[in-house]
Amino acid sequence: MFSNVKASLQGKADLITKSLHQDNGDTFVNAMCKQIRAKYFDKHGNKKKLKKTNTDLFRVHDSGDLFSPRYISAWVRICEQFPTIKFWFPTREWKRDSQLPHLQKLASLKNVCIKPSAIYVDEPAPQVDGLDAGTSVYTSKEQAEQDGHFVCPATYVKGEDGKILATCQAHNCNLCFIKGCKKGIAYLAH
């Protein structure tokens, strides 16, 4: 990992943990809400139309997970502030029994989709009560489909230049954000 990326991720983690311990997450919640408002909304509170960001959708964590009940509660507070944004949380924390009731509470919000992630590659996506259909990583599209998964086109469809079109927007697909989805989603390993 590049040192600047590592430092950035560590800074975010430090802000979150310090806030959770010192003020029950208030500093973190306020900072996230401020950032979301600045990126997704204009000064009048109207959603922006951005070229590379769908302001109706917000993926939580490109690195990290819902590591504690306090952290999950902070996200409940954030998601409640933005009912017009669909939040997607991939998580492996469903495996910890102590986390599940908190994940289910977060998942009960109308604008939140929590997808439990498989622990191992080529393992079917988990189905967990109170959460949406899960996700998995597969090494073969054929095996993923045989196991009953929708295979994410952003992980295998190529453009004219031969490069994978690795964005949801390129495929007009937002399945990861759809609440109530009952079919597991597979991403091809790369």
Side-chain angles (χ1 to χ4, degrees), residues 155-176:
T155 63
Y156 71 90
V157 175
K158 296 179 181 179
E160 292 176 9
D161 60 0
K163 292 183 181 178
I164 292 179
L165 300 173
T167 67
C168 302
Q169 195 170 14
H171 302 285
N172 196 27
C173 178
N174 297 318
L175 188 59
C176 293

Side-chain angles (χ1 to χ4, degrees), residues 17-88:
T17 54
K18 182 178 179 183
S19 175
L20 293 174
H21 291 293
Q22 290 184 345
D23 60 18
N24 202 32
D26 290 346
T27 300
F28 167 67
V29 169
N30 292 336
M32 280 304 302
C33 289
K34 182 178 178 182
Q35 289 179 15
I36 292 169
R37 277 191 198 94
K39 179 155 186 162
Y40 280 56
F41 298 90
D42 65 22
K43 64 182 178 180
H44 305 291
N46 301 310
K47 275 218 192 127
K48 293 178 181 176
K49 299 278 186 204
L50 302 173
K51 192 172 189 172
K52 295 189 178 203
T53 301
N54 182 339
T55 56
D56 291 328
L57 309 174
F58 190 99
R59 178 186 173 169
V60 181
H61 299 132
D62 57 1
S63 176
D65 209 330
L66 295 162
F67 61 87
S68 76
R70 278 190 191 175
Y71 184 55
I72 296 169
S73 293
W75 275 106
V76 167
R77 293 165 47 201
I78 294 164
C79 294
E80 288 174 338
Q81 294 288 314
F82 301 100
T84 63
I85 297 174
K86 293 178 183 177
F87 290 85
W88 163 38

Side-chain angles (χ1 to χ4, degrees), residues 115 127 131-134 178 180-184:
K115 295 199 168 293
Q127 299 291 326
L131 306 181
D132 288 280
I178 295 174
C181 177
K182 300 294 182 209
K183 188 170 188 171

Side-chain angles (χ1 to χ4, degrees), residues 66-184:
L66 295 162
F67 61 87
S68 76
R70 278 190 191 175
Y71 184 55
I72 296 169
S73 293
W75 275 106
V76 167
R77 293 165 47 201
I78 294 164
C79 294
E80 288 174 338
Q81 294 288 314
F82 301 100
T84 63
I85 297 174
K86 293 178 183 177
F87 290 85
W88 163 38
F89 294 83
T91 184
R92 289 186 170 166
E93 288 293 313
W94 63 273
K95 287 292 282 181
R96 292 187 358 186
D97 291 337
S98 62
Q99 295 288 76
L100 191 54
H102 305 281
L103 293 171
Q104 290 166 330
K105 179 180 179 183
L106 179 57
S108 73
L109 298 177
K110 291 181 180 181
N111 61 330
V112 171
C113 183
I114 296 186
K115 295 199 168 293
S117 302
I119 305 300
Y120 302 104
V121 173
D122 291 328
E123 174 183 57
Q127 299 291 326
V128 179
D129 287 340
L131 306 181
D132 288 280
T135 62
S136 188
V137 173
Y138 273 79
T139 55
S140 155
K141 181 177 184 279
E142 295 73 24
Q143 183 63 50
E145 290 172 339
Q146 185 178 335
D147 286 350
H149 295 79
F150 171 81
V151 181
C152 174
T155 63
Y156 71 90
V157 175
K158 296 179 181 179
E160 292 176 9
D161 60 0
K163 292 183 181 178
I164 292 179
L165 300 173
T167 67
C168 302
Q169 195 170 14
H171 302 285
N172 196 27
C173 178
N174 297 318
L175 188 59
C176 293
F177 295 89
I178 295 174
K179 189 166 187 71
C181 177
K182 300 294 182 209
K183 188 170 188 171

